[in-house]
Amino acid sequence: MAANSSTGSATEPPGLETQWREIDNLSQQQLRAGDSWYLLDKRWYDQWKEYVHAGDQNSSSYPGKIDNTELYEDLDSYHLKERLSENEDFVLVPAEAWHKLLSWYDMMDNQPPLERKVVDLPSTVKVEVYPVEIYLCLSSNMESTVSACFSRADKIREYRLLMDRKSIWTLKNTAESRLWMRSTDTSSERLRNLNMTVLDACLSSGMVKYTPTIYTPKLWSSVMRNSADEDSYRGPPGVCGLTNLGNTCFMNSALQCLSNTPPLTEYFLRNSYLEELNFTNPLGMKGEIAEAYADVIKQMWSGRHYSVVPRVFKTKVGHFASQFLGYQQHDSQELLSFLLDGLHEDLNRVKKKEYIELRDADGRPDQEVAEEAWRNHLRRNDSVIVDTFHGLFKSTLVCPECNKVSVTFDPFCYLSVPLPVSKERVMEVFYVSLDPTAKPTQYRLIVPKAGQVIDLCTALSQATGVPPNQMAVADVFNHRFYRIYQADESLSCILDRDDIFVYQLSSGCVDQEGEEVVMAIYMRERSHYRDYGSGSNSYSTSLFGHPLLISVPRAQCTREDLYQLLLKRLAPSSEGEERAEEEESSSEPDRGSSTEEGQSASGSTDTNSQDATDGDQSTGVEPSGKEEEDEDEEEEEEEEAASCAQANKRLPGRRRYTERQKKALFTIQAVNSNGTTERGMGEADAQPYIAIDWDPDMKKKYYNENEAEKYIKHQSMDVPHQQITVQLQECIELFTTVETLEEENPWYCPTCKKHQLATKKLDLWSLPEVLIIHLKRFSYTKYSREKLDTIVEFPLRDLDFSGFLLKKTVNSTEPPCRYDLISVSNHYGGLRDGHYTSYARNKDNGQWYYFDDSKVTYAREEQITSAAYLLFYQRQDKIRQPTVPPPVPSSSQPENHVSSQTHDGMDGASSCVSMETD
């Protein structure tokens, strides 16, 4: 489909209720492999829903043309942004629904439709939002590439077919192709089965290259020599990077932590897993996850690789957990949870699980109930994962109605501990003063997290001195108001990424019945030509710059008064009407010296009477008639004015009855909330929207757009927000604090025979050899998602759990409760632009290393930062002393990895397929 998907004009849509019913019904259809679905910007879709539910064709919530601007990386390549989330950034609609919306509303010029195919993948059918992007090139010319996207359901031979369609790369019919996939800068893998799918071949975004010549030993020997060079590398076992396959840093970080968990790694290096693979477990993955993981671990600990490409492992994970398909960013803890569970079931020594009925404590001693619970757990679950990571906690539930107490003991694989949540929130806003000479100022404010919009205004008032009731708060998006907030709305509706503008109003307590009205002002640029193709003779317009909110006395809502008011407001960006008058006077010296105005600010001419809009007391600007005349009428007016001017020249001593024409800098038009549709007479709203329409030539002469876009930073922007610092022990205490169950997760009381919001308390009973602590940094609520940047201080040694355990040591044979840190998974950045790395202590030499995808560097203990997300602790009595002397890092010693540092979505060593011919 062409890049410009605009239909030129939208067809007449059906009624609003019919629109909603048709689109909603179509969106309920099931996904079918091969069907097309389309991505729609979530903001546009939400506005459309608001519009159709309003039930008013003239509602201010009219969404305008379909606009997917926010989904693109840029408006040149129209490349889709990375890490977009369904139902947060976009929605998916089937093809029929898309075409209906397109015919009703049209689409922004030049924007391509975001069509995506439904693919049938193992264990799921889904819309493939991010296809595999491949760069095709000749092996003899790596500089010349052609980009192409492939579905994961496509066959490998599609690469060859696409290459054959490129005339400059035509292969001889007799040529026999060989495909090579470059896994690193120094090694390649042979792709033998061209009937395999992209998914089965574990291909990711990267490069495809081939040589359209007869196969020569030179290229083959080069490939083999490069592989041999890598095989000759002998570095410290385990000190090995993992290539980023495209937003897979979350997986690499979790794998590095597990790789540096001694008991688990030694289990796989000894090949103990081979005897315990469980191929019949219905809850397992037929041993495939365990085998894929074992292959990665053996490569990492062979000492032969600078970096390993975990492509097969990534593909296996996607096979059995569809949420990890594709190359979007994910949570390392979610991957770790799946992997530990998958390894456990693949290696479960219990081949046939028996049914066990769980019993409540019913007043029995904790020791008895705990031992029974652990025995029952081992009767169904017995693996190296249980041996290494499983512990036991006590769960106590109390019914608020009948006081029934339920006590159970449940196994756990890791502890997810909460972080103390701050009751405050940092917000950044742009403040727009009434002073036309003052530029917008960016402020950083501290507001109550559970506060309202008025609290934001109050905080800003303390910095500006302007009363809170003289402020209006709005979310500005794409040169228009996405939303104008009321004072009592919750701040949770405002996301950190929103561009929030706060406007100073001339007086407080502005409401629909007051003496002043708040007007929303848009800036628009008119095209040079009328748009006859759209079925009308009006000029097309495009929004630019920042919109304004101003309060205007109802008595001054005439066009002339508004023109003068807006002219003053735009003074810093506009060179004013004086220059326009001067230029016009100097260019037309023969028109006389009269200074009387004969033209209104809107640009219309009335030589016989006062401006028709003078004295208008409406709540908004209402056109007094047709805004602009047809071209023929305009020509007649010009001829008449010229005739009058000639008559005046013949009567120099007589006062001219025709007033001098003066061209306005801009015109004023009442529009809808999106600034896309002009409003008719009598359609005043509680929130009027006005457009300032600039003629392109006038805008170029008298409006400085660069100056208008400038802003200054308040000193509050230079003061870093003080982060909260807590101890890890405080988080564990929160984990064991009594809490009340949420309404979404009630407990069924066996005595009351109904669900209750019981109180719940968790206590630690016994701990495993390796304890994983998950710091719950990501907070998800009904209204918002955020990351908690709380600094958690945690010990590297001697983490003592004796004070948290209910089970006290009864004899000297009981294991101690002290732990040392062995690895950390870090998360940097926010929800949408985060990056995972890891620190780990090598089990052989005791040296700490920092793993950032394929890059590995030495690390000091003091470098282990507050960005920790997952903590791996090993019990001190199980930690062995280093078996080899630790290396001595020095400034002259090079890093053990030779490739450049990688980032999410960018591989330091792209996957590459090489095609050779014999």
Side-chain angles (χ1 to χ4, degrees):
M1 189 173 291
N4 187 344
S5 64
S6 176
T7 61
S9 62
T11 61
E12 185 67 26
L16 300 183
E17 183 178 348
T18 302
Q19 288 187 43
W20 169 250
R21 184 173 61 253
E22 290 186 11
I23 300 301
D24 186 53
N25 288 340
L26 289 171
S27 298
Q28 304 302 321
Q29 64 184 247
Q30 299 295 316
L31 297 178
R32 296 182 304 178
D35 285 355
S36 290
W37 284 60
Y38 289 79
L39 277 70
L40 264 178
D41 181 81
K42 180 67 159 51
R43 284 193 173 192
W44 187 93
Y45 185 73
D46 286 345
Q47 184 126 358
W48 172 78
K49 287 200 302 183
E50 181 181 342
Y51 171 63
V52 294
H53 288 319
D56 180 6
Q57 292 278 9
N58 296 318
S59 169
S60 61
S61 59
Y62 179 75
K65 292 183 179 181
I66 297 173
D67 188 357
N68 287 332
T69 300
E70 287 300 299
L71 301 183
Y72 301 116
E73 194 70 49
D74 59 71
L75 296 182
D76 294 324
S77 66
Y78 288 103
H79 198 83
L80 200 63
K81 286 181 179 177
E82 298 290 345
R83 297 187 291 277
L84 294 177
S85 299
E86 185 178 359
N87 296 324
E88 181 181 345
D89 302 299
F90 66 87
V91 296
L92 289 166
V93 296
E96 188 176 352
W98 162 260
H99 291 302
K100 284 181 179 291
L101 289 171
L102 186 63
S103 67
W104 298 338
Y105 295 93
D106 204 353
M107 191 174 186
M108 297 298 289
D109 292 343
N110 299 319
Q111 285 193 10
L114 291 172
E115 180 183 5
R116 293 296 186 266
K117 293 292 186 180
V118 179
V119 294
D120 189 0
L121 301 173
S123 75
T124 186
V125 177
K126 65 179 298 183
V127 177
E128 193 174 36
V129 175
Y130 290 96
V132 178
E133 186 174 13
I134 301 295
Y135 294 91
L136 309 172
C137 68
L138 302 175
S139 61
S140 58
N141 183 6
M142 297 290 286
E143 301 300 324
S144 176
T145 63
V146 176
S147 175
C149 288
F150 293 89
S151 167
R152 288 164 183 80
D154 288 342
K155 300 293 181 63
I156 299 299
R157 64 173 60 255
E158 295 295 327
Y159 293 140
R160 169 62 186 272
L161 294 177
L162 182 61
M163 292 173 181
D164 286 347
R165 289 198 293 270
K166 306 299 178 182
S167 59
I168 60 173
W169 292 347
T170 303
L171 289 175
K172 296 179 180 179
N173 294 332
T174 58
E176 179 183 350
S177 300
R178 289 184 181 179
L179 283 173
W180 294 89
M181 176 172 59
R182 189 181 65 184
S183 55
T184 68
D185 284 334
T186 57
S187 64
S188 300
E189 304 172 34
R190 173 79 181 275
L191 291 175
R192 300 177 182 275
N193 187 355
L194 301 186
N195 290 317
M196 293 177 66
T197 64
V198 172
L199 179 67
D200 291 335
C202 310
L203 287 177
S204 60
S205 295
M207 300 183 71
V208 176
K209 67 174 184 176
Y210 79 121
T211 306
T213 56
I214 302 300
Y215 159 73
T216 62
K218 181 178 179 181
L219 182 58
W220 174 264
S221 62
S222 174
V223 172
M224 296 305 294
R225 183 175 66 254
N226 288 335
S227 299
D229 289 343
E230 184 174 10
D231 288 342
S232 65
Y233 171 75
R234 285 294 181 271
V239 183
C240 177
L242 291 169
T243 299
N244 191 319
L245 302 175
N247 291 327
T248 57
C249 62
F250 72 96
M251 180 184 76
N252 293 345
S253 177
L255 284 176
Q256 290 289 5
C257 289
L258 282 181
S259 170
N260 286 277
T261 300
L264 185 64
T265 292
E266 291 169 358
Y267 170 86
F268 280 99
L269 294 181
R270 293 194 307 265
N271 288 329
S272 301
Y273 73 98
L274 294 175
E275 299 177 359
E276 297 182 344
L277 284 171
N278 191 331
F279 300 105
T280 60
N281 186 354
L283 300 178
M285 289 80 175
K286 299 180 175 58
E288 293 184 32
I289 287 293
E291 290 181 319
Y293 178 79
D295 182 60
V296 172
I297 293 300
K298 289 179 178 179
Q299 291 185 66
M300 294 175 67
W301 288 84
S302 67
R304 295 196 301 266
H305 306 287
Y306 296 111
S307 181
V308 169
V309 183
R311 184 177 291 108
V312 174
F313 175 80
K314 165 70 170 61
T315 303
K316 294 297 183 183
V317 169
H319 268 272
F320 296 104
S322 60
Q323 67 269 30
F324 297 115
L325 277 170
Y327 296 90
Q328 299 183 51
Q329 180 64 277
H330 292 283
D331 190 327
S332 66
Q333 188 272 334
E334 293 179 0
L335 185 280
L336 179 68
S337 176
F338 162 78
L339 181 55
L340 290 176
D341 185 63
L343 290 175
H344 160 66
E345 296 296 356
D346 270 3
L347 299 169
N348 200 341
R349 302 174 186 117
V350 178
K351 304 304 180 185
K352 185 176 181 180
K353 297 186 177 184
E354 57 181 307
Y355 172 76
I356 299 175
E357 185 174 355
L358 300 179
R359 298 173 54 197
D360 202 298
D362 290 330
R364 292 180 294 162
D366 285 350
Q367 185 76 25
E368 177 186 341
V369 180
E371 290 177 355
E372 176 185 81
W374 188 249
R375 286 195 304 270
N376 289 339
H377 180 58
L378 293 181
R379 287 164 63 184
R380 293 173 55 86
N381 304 279
D382 183 15
S383 69
V384 65
I385 303 300
V386 174
D387 298 341
T388 307
F389 298 102
H390 283 208
L392 202 64
F393 61 72
K394 176 185 177 181
S395 175
T396 304
L397 291 163
V398 180
C399 178
E401 188 171 318
C402 68
N403 293 322
K404 160 70 177 176
V405 178
S406 173
V407 175
T408 58
F409 285 80
D410 304 299
F412 67 86
C413 192
Y414 50 85
L415 296 181
S416 289
V417 300
L419 275 62
V421 179
S422 172
K423 296 183 180 179
E424 296 178 334
R425 174 185 177 186
V426 177
M427 297 186 67
E428 295 180 2
V429 301
F430 294 92
Y431 174 68
V432 182
S433 170
L434 275 177
D435 182 358
T437 63
K439 297 185 184 302
T441 306
Q442 187 180 24
Y443 286 84
R444 179 174 291 158
L445 307 171
I446 298 178
V447 297
K449 182 171 291 187
Q452 298 178 329
V453 172
I454 188 63
D455 296 310
L456 172 63
C457 297
T458 301
L460 185 57
S461 174
Q462 296 174 358
T464 62
V466 176
N469 65 342
Q470 287 182 224
M471 296 180 180
V473 181
D475 179 0
V476 175
F477 169 69
N478 202 18
H479 311 298
R480 57 171 61 92
F481 291 114
Y482 177 70
R483 184 171 179 178
I484 299 175
Y485 293 98
Q486 301 299 316
D488 59 352
E489 288 190 74
S490 173
L491 287 176
S492 62
C493 299
I494 301 177
L495 304 180
D496 290 337
R497 70 173 184 266
D498 293 341
D499 290 327
I500 301 301
F501 282 69
V502 181
Y503 300 87
Q504 180 186 1
L505 304 178
S506 57
S507 63
C509 302
V510 178
D511 55 44
Q512 188 173 359
E513 304 300 326
E515 293 299 320
E516 298 199 355
V517 60
V518 176
M519 288 188 174
I521 311 296
Y522 288 153
M523 304 287 285
R524 301 196 306 185
E525 181 177 359
R526 263 184 7 182
S527 66
H528 280 286
Y529 306 102
R530 296 180 184 272
D531 186 13
Y532 292 102
S534 64
S536 69
N537 64 348
S538 61
Y539 291 95
S540 63
T541 58
S542 59
L543 291 169
F544 69 92
H546 295 310
L548 284 172
L549 280 178
I550 62 174
S551 55
V552 182
R554 292 182 184 274
Q556 297 181 15
C557 288
T558 65
R559 289 182 182 275
E560 181 64 30
D561 288 337
L562 278 177
Y563 180 85
Q564 297 301 329
L565 176 65
L566 294 173
L567 194 63
K568 293 178 181 178
R569 191 62 185 264
L570 299 175
S573 304
S574 171
E575 298 186 31
E577 203 169 41
E578 292 80 3
R579 179 182 162 191
E581 291 183 18
E582 292 173 1
E583 291 190 3
E584 188 169 339
S585 297
S586 63
S587 63
E588 300 179 13
D590 61 339
R591 302 188 70 178
S593 59
S594 173
T595 59
E596 299 178 61
E597 287 189 11
Q599 184 180 18
S600 71
S602 63
S604 63
T605 304
D606 188 348
T607 61
N608 300 314
S609 64
Q610 187 181 3
D611 188 343
T613 60
D614 284 355
D616 187 350
Q617 307 296 316
S618 65
T619 59
V621 174
E622 299 179 5
S624 59
K626 207 171 185 183
E627 192 62 26
E628 297 190 13
E629 302 294 336
D630 291 341
E631 288 183 354
D632 292 341
E633 294 176 357
E634 288 180 344
E635 291 176 0
E636 291 176 3
E637 290 178 355
E638 291 173 0
E639 291 175 0
E640 181 181 349
S643 175
C644 293
Q646 292 296 324
N648 286 341
K649 289 167 66 177
R650 289 192 299 269
L651 299 171
R654 176 182 172 187
R655 181 178 178 179
R656 298 176 177 85
Y657 66 88
T658 303
E659 300 174 339
R660 181 178 61 84
Q661 282 193 329
K662 180 185 65 180
K663 188 173 184 180
L665 297 185
F666 50 79
T667 60
I668 299 173
Q669 174 63 49
V671 293
N672 69 345
S673 62
N674 273 313
T676 55
T677 304
E678 298 180 355
R679 307 296 301 275
M681 293 182 62
E683 297 183 15
D685 292 327
Q687 176 62 73
Y689 289 85
I690 307 300
I692 297 176
D693 286 347
W694 288 83
D695 176 84
D697 295 331
M698 298 295 283
K699 174 174 176 283
K700 183 178 180 180
K701 284 184 179 180
Y702 306 119
Y703 187 83
N704 190 330
E705 192 167 353
N706 289 333
E707 187 70 20
E709 294 285 338
K710 291 181 180 178
Y711 69 93
I712 59 176
K713 289 189 176 183
H714 186 259
Q715 59 186 11
S716 60
M717 295 296 298
D718 299 326
V719 180
H721 178 58
Q722 296 295 322
Q723 292 180 305
I724 300 175
T725 301
V726 300
Q727 301 296 319
L728 177 61
Q729 288 83 343
E730 296 179 55
C731 302
I732 299 172
E733 287 175 0
L734 277 176
F735 176 78
T736 58
T737 300
V738 177
E739 63 176 355
T740 302
L741 297 179
E742 298 177 348
E743 294 184 2
E744 295 81 7
N745 188 30
W747 170 67
Y748 183 80
C749 176
T751 303
C752 297
K753 305 297 183 183
K754 62 180 180 181
H755 288 90
Q756 299 281 13
L757 299 182
T759 60
K760 181 178 181 180
K761 188 178 190 306
L762 294 177
D763 291 290
L764 300 176
W765 180 261
S766 63
L767 299 176
E769 175 183 345
V770 176
L771 177 63
I772 303 174
I773 300 177
H774 165 222
L775 303 176
K776 297 172 71 174
R777 291 197 176 276
F778 300 112
S779 172
Y780 302 95
T781 67
K782 183 178 181 181
Y783 301 102
S784 64
R785 301 173 62 192
E786 63 174 333
K787 180 193 174 185
L788 305 178
D789 289 320
T790 305
I791 298 174
V792 179
E793 294 184 346
F794 48 89
L796 272 65
R797 297 180 183 82
D798 295 323
L799 176 59
D800 189 359
F801 274 91
S802 58
F804 296 103
L805 283 177
L806 287 183
K807 179 182 179 182
K808 305 302 179 183
T809 301
V810 294
N811 56 56
S812 59
T813 61
E814 292 284 345
C817 301
R818 292 184 179 274
Y819 287 79
D820 287 352
L821 190 70
I822 57 173
S823 61
V824 181
S825 174
N826 309 298
H827 183 271
Y828 300 94
L831 285 171
R832 303 168 61 82
D833 57 353
H835 181 61
Y836 287 94
T837 65
S838 55
Y839 289 100
R841 178 182 180 271
N842 187 277
K843 69 181 181 65
D844 292 341
N845 59 33
Q847 168 69 42
W848 280 90
Y849 295 92
Y850 180 62
F851 299 90
D852 185 355
D853 289 329
S854 56
K855 182 178 180 180
V856 185
T857 55
Y858 291 106
R860 299 185 301 274
E861 291 185 351
E862 57 267 26
Q863 289 179 289
I864 302 176
T865 66
S866 57
Y869 180 49
L870 297 172
L871 302 171
F872 284 65
Y873 281 94
Q874 187 174 14
R875 211 166 60 208
Q876 285 182 341
D877 65 313
K878 294 292 186 178
I879 296 178
R880 296 202 315 256
Q881 294 301 315
T883 57
V884 297
V888 181
S890 65
S891 57
S892 61
Q893 187 171 3
E895 296 173 358
N896 72 301
H897 194 283
V898 294
S899 69
S900 60
Q901 185 173 358
T902 61
H903 302 279
D904 278 354
M906 299 174 60
D907 290 348
S910 302
S911 63
C912 175
V913 176
S914 166
M915 178 179 286
E916 299 174 2
T917 57
D918 286 340

